């Protein structure tokens, strides 16, 4: 039995243009489309491919969030995950808390691989996988664009600033996904029906016996400074003239 | 007393410019004492470069054969050990820092603040969320060590002319740290392009989906060479295989702040715009007059890039 644990975060959909509330207390989420964090979808796709190639026997999707997060977990089950766990939390948790939640689930499920998105596109933190690997005292391979498993080890190609880096890690390990790892599959209608029958366990966050309070206080949200609209030029000559005026050529 | 430890990023014996930007961020905290730690197999030249940054008090070196490559699992316990006497631990918000710093934070039992873009006080900072569509002001607790990454594009590099003392911290690092062997470096492919590095280039030319093929993308390189610019790409161009992954500019790629940014055939998705918001001057060339890139461009030119780019190259002489 080798299991893969996959994290799925419910976030404001990739295509939504996020706006700050006028009172600065947060961003507008009422009536806004919510989806699985795109990097997490890539993580799930990779887990499913590993299982399909015989590298694992069970894929478990995990989310930490409000009751509505069951929608995203059902989508994960429709994509092909075997079962789901929702750790129900009334408010958002910080990455360190999320890592502690995953560690609790790891103690119970004993997975060989934990696959997470490299960052969630809401808070853009890019922390949970690394923190989990530290607490679990296991290897991390972040920003993965290729994962090859063989004999209790994994060779992972990572997207780094300089180009591509390959590292080898012993399993179990935590992997976080980058964009080019794979292209997630589309969910088919019959799979959505099937997913309704798959197990989805709900655990209350405060029953896990971990410190759930965050340490950072967000004082306010503001819209970013906007750039002033510039000028339009008609042709290359005008473009060169405009660049010259700014001392750029 | 605010004592800040900055973890140096380096490669090939050279200090990465992002480290000097972390120093500038740290100096924005009034009265802070700033040290830099260099973890390397051979720290010599790197430590000397770090010591020359203005505002740095001390450079600590931890030389160990295991530190030859920047593996987060190997470095994190050593960083955590050296960080014992500091109130703040900063690293750059590059793939190096993003990989390493959260692991350090978790080992220290604290959270992390990602992507500091402005300092309000020693425990109050501003950072972007939602791909830069919102800026939050965040307060960290004063009774905990603050681990953070610094958004390089928000800060100028610290000036040179400093003369910090260089000391070895190998004893404190190795005494407390258990260096794991479960993670091993295999290889790195870093193409030597001869062009300015995308993250530090003062000029950048980027190409998008409209280029249509890897072969067509070559005209971006041609224009970049004419302007002595670095080359970037939109996610669409990278996903389609027209350009290499390390060229991606945007929310999940590189965040840059060049003097001149030329966007060619890039429509300007929010995720791309977040990577270029700090550019001084943005030039957009696109055949679609309605493309969102024109909303942020200082100079816009509507037309066929395959006609305009060669003309522009010629006009630049």
């Amino acid at each position: 039995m080798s299991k893969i644990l996959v994290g799925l975060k419910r976030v404001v959909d990739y295509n939504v243009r996020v706006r700050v509330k006028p009172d600065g207390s947060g961003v507008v989420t009422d009536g806004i489309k919510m989806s699985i964090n795109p990097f997490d979808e890539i993580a799930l796709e990779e887990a499913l491919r590993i299982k399909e190639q015989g590298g694992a026997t069970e894929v478990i999707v995990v989310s930490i969030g409000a009751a509505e997060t069951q929608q995203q977990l059902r989508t994960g089950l429709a994509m092909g995950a075997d079962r789901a766990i929702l750790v129900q939390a009334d408010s958002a948790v910080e990455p360190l808390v999320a890592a502690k939640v995953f560690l609790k689930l790891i103690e119970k499920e004993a997975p060989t691989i934990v696959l997470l998105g490299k960052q969630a596109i809401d808070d853009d933190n890019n922390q949970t996988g690394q923190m989990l690997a530290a607490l679990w005292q296991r290897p991390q391979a972040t920003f993965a664009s290729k994962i090859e498993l063989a004999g209790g080890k994994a060779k992972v190609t990572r997207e780094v600033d300089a180009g591509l880096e390959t590292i080898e890690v012993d399993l179990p390990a935590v992997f976080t996904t980058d964009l080019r790892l794979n292209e997630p599959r589309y969910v088919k209608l019959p799979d959505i029906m099937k997913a309704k029958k798959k197990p989805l366990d709900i655990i209350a966050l405060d029953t896990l016996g971990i410190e759930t309070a965050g340490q950072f206080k967000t004082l306010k949200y503001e819209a970013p400074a906007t750039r002033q609209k510039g000028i339009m030029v008609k042709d290359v000559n005008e473009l060169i003239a405009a660049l010259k005026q700014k001392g750029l050529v | 007393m605010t004592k800040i430890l900055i973890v140096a990023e380096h490669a090939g014996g050279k200090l990465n410019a992002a480290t000097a930007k972390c120093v500038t961020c740290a100096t924005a905290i009034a009265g802070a004492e700033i040290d830099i730690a260099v973890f390397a197999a051979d720290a010599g030249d790197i430590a000397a470069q770090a010591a020359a940054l203005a505002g740095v008090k001390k450079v600590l070196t931890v030389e160990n054969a295991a530190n030859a490559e920047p593996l987060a699992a190997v470095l994190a316990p050593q960083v955590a050990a050296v960080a014992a006497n500091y109130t703040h631990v900063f690293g750059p918000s590059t793939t190096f820092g993003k990989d390493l710093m959260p692991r350090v934070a978790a080992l220290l039992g604290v959270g992390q603040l990602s992507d500091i873009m402005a300092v309000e006080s020693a425990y109050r900072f501003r950072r972007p969320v939602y791909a830069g569509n919102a800026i939050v002001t965040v307060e960290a607790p004063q009774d905990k060590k603050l681990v953070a990454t610094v958004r390089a594009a928000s800060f100028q590099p610290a000036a040179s002319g400093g003369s910090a003392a260089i000391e070895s911290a190998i004893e404190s690092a190795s005494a407390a740290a258990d260096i794991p062997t479960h993670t091993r470096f295999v290889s790195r492919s870093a193409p030597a392009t001869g062009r300015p590095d995308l993250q530090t280039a003062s000029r950048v030319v980027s190409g998008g989906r409209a280029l249509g093929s890897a072969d067509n993308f070559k005209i971006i390189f041609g224009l970049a060479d004419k302007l002595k610019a670095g080359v970037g790409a939109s996610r669409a161009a990278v996903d389609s295989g027209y350009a290499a992954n390390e060229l991606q500019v945007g929310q999940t790629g590189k965040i840059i702040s060049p003097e001149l940014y030329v966007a060619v055939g890039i429509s300007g998705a929010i995720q791309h715009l977040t990577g270029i918001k700090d550019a001084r001057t943005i030039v957009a060339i696109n055949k679609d007059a309605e493309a969102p890139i024109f909303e942020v461009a200082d100079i816009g030119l509507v037309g066929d890039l395959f006609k305009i780019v060669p003309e522009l190259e010629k006009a630049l002489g």
Side-chain angles (χ1 to χ4, degrees):
Chain A
M1 247 340 237
S2 80
K3 299 178 189 176
I4 304 179
L5 226 53
V6 179
L8 296 186
K9 186 175 183 184
R10 172 185 165 96
V11 297
V12 171
D13 187 81
Y14 184 79
N15 290 309
V16 171
R17 184 148 203 166
V18 171
R19 293 192 195 284
V20 174
K21 286 182 188 165
D23 67 357
S25 65
V27 300
V28 178
T29 50
D30 288 350
I32 286 210
K33 188 182 176 199
M34 303 296 284
S35 299
I36 297 175
N37 178 44
F39 290 100
D40 300 347
E41 215 176 349
I42 293 170
L44 175 54
E45 175 65 35
E46 194 65 15
L48 296 173
R49 290 185 191 189
I50 291 170
K51 185 187 160 190
E52 284 157 6
Q53 287 156 15
T57 50
E58 190 180 30
V59 174
I60 307 165
V61 283
V62 177
S63 196
I64 307 168
E68 302 90 275
T69 310
Q70 289 178 60
Q71 293 163 12
Q72 280 66 42
L73 287 172
R74 288 288 171 204
T75 305
L77 292 169
M79 274 179 72
D82 298 291
R83 63 189 168 96
I85 301 170
L86 172 62
V87 176
Q88 201 166 322
D90 297 332
S91 52
V93 298
E94 288 181 3
L96 184 62
V97 177
K100 287 177 180 171
V101 168
F102 272 92
L103 188 63
K104 279 285 172 193
L105 299 177
I106 285 170
E107 284 165 7
K108 193 163 156 241
E109 304 286 351
T112 317
I113 294 168
V114 179
L115 262 162
L116 304 172
K118 75 166 178 179
Q119 76 193 70
I121 60 164
D122 50 6
D123 55 28
D124 284 329
N125 271 321
N126 197 332
Q127 298 174 6
T128 305
Q130 296 88 313
M131 288 179 163
L132 173 61
L135 299 177
W136 193 18
Q137 296 177 291
R138 295 303 310 165
Q140 69 189 46
T142 54
F143 327 142
S145 67
K146 192 175 177 194
I147 299 173
E148 298 162 279
L149 303 175
K153 293 179 193 148
K155 208 183 249 190
V156 181
T157 303
R158 309 175 53 231
E159 295 200 2
V160 294
D161 290 338
L164 295 170
E165 179 185 283
T166 304
I167 61 171
E168 186 187 66
V169 299
D170 297 335
L171 297 177
V174 178
F175 303 140
T176 78
T177 62
D178 218 316
L179 292 168
R180 260 72 62 178
L181 183 59
N182 60 51
E183 247 180 78
R185 65 196 63 187
Y186 287 104
V187 173
K188 297 186 204 82
L189 192 60
D191 294 330
I192 295 175
M193 304 311 290
K194 258 191 265 172
K196 288 183 178 159
K197 297 199 183 94
K198 290 184 181 176
L200 191 163
D201 292 332
I202 299 178
I203 305 170
L205 175 64
D206 56 16
T207 62
L208 288 175
I210 55 171
E211 173 59 66
T212 59
Q215 76 178 67
F216 296 104
K217 204 156 63 179
T218 300
L219 303 176
K220 64 175 170 193
Y221 284 75
E222 288 167 283
T226 49
R227 293 184 72 96
Q228 280 197 331
K229 203 167 161 57
I231 56 161
M232 296 300 289
V233 294
K234 283 201 303 287
D235 55 30
V236 167
N237 288 334
E238 279 191 26
L239 173 59
I240 296 275
L243 288 172
K244 274 194 178 139
Q245 206 183 1
K246 286 177 178 282
L248 288 165
V249 292
Chain B
M1 176 80 199
T2 305
K3 284 191 74 181
I4 304 176
L5 181 71
I6 294 170
V7 182
E9 174 172 358
H10 57 86
K14 282 210 172 68
L15 189 69
N16 186 296
T19 307
K21 295 179 173 186
C22 289
V23 172
T24 302
C25 173
T27 53
I29 297 173
E33 201 174 289
I34 303 162
D35 294 350
I36 294 181
V38 178
F39 298 83
D42 174 5
D45 289 351
I46 308 153
Q49 292 160 47
L53 294 173
V56 178
K57 180 138 186 276
K58 213 161 54 183
V59 175
L60 303 171
T61 61
V62 180
E63 295 185 305
N64 186 327
N67 296 347
E69 296 294 341
L71 295 169
V74 168
L75 297 180
Q78 302 176 68
V79 177
V82 175
N85 298 319
Y86 292 86
T87 56
H88 296 57
V89 191
F90 286 179
S93 190
T94 54
T95 52
F96 164 78
K98 288 173 178 174
D99 187 38
L100 173 62
M101 300 310 285
R103 190 160 182 127
V104 171
L107 291 179
L108 292 168
V110 297
Q112 181 191 282
L113 191 65
S114 295
D115 306 316
I116 293 176
M117 61 184 290
V119 175
E120 298 209 333
S121 75
Y123 292 93
R124 194 181 282 195
F125 302 89
R126 285 153 58 83
R127 66 173 296 260
V129 292
Y130 291 97
N133 283 302
I135 309 298
V136 288
T137 305
V138 180
E139 195 164 66
Q142 305 205 8
D143 60 351
K144 283 195 165 82
K145 214 181 279 298
L146 178 63
V147 177
T149 58
V150 174
R151 183 178 181 271
S154 299
F155 299 92
Q156 294 295 317
S160 55
S163 54
I166 300 175
E167 285 174 18
S168 172
I170 185 78
E171 280 175 27
S172 56
S174 41
D178 197 8
I179 298 178
T181 55
H182 54 46
T183 304
R184 297 166 294 273
F185 176 80
V186 178
S187 63
R188 183 175 304 112
S189 66
T193 62
R195 289 190 186 87
D197 174 57
L198 175 57
Q199 252 164 340
T200 49
S202 65
R203 297 159 170 219
V204 171
V205 181
S206 278
R209 191 197 305 270
L211 270 302
S213 72
D215 206 41
N216 288 347
F217 200 89
K218 287 181 189 149
I219 70 167
I220 298 296
F221 291 113
L223 179 58
D225 290 345
K226 207 52 126 197
L227 285 165
K228 297 188 174 55
V231 171
S234 70
R235 177 186 169 186
V238 176
D239 281 359
S240 308
Y242 309 162
N245 68 279
E246 67 269 19
L247 301 187
Q248 188 183 323
V249 172
Q251 179 186 20
T252 61
K254 288 181 173 131
I255 312 277
I256 56 173
S257 53
E259 291 291 310
L260 172 65
Y261 185 76
V262 185
V264 181
I266 292 176
S267 63
I270 331 166
Q271 290 81 7
H272 183 76
L273 300 184
T274 194
I276 60 169
K277 269 179 189 161
D278 296 302
R280 184 72 59 84
T281 299
I282 297 174
V283 174
I285 299 167
N286 202 299
K287 68 172 191 298
D288 175 11
E290 303 299 318
I293 189 79
F294 288 118
E295 285 168 35
V296 299
D298 299 282
I299 308 171
L301 175 52
V302 177
D304 177 8
L305 74 93
F306 294 107
K307 208 173 131 257
I308 292 170
V309 172
E311 263 181 52
L312 184 55
E313 245 188 81
K314 209 169 144 206
L316 288 166

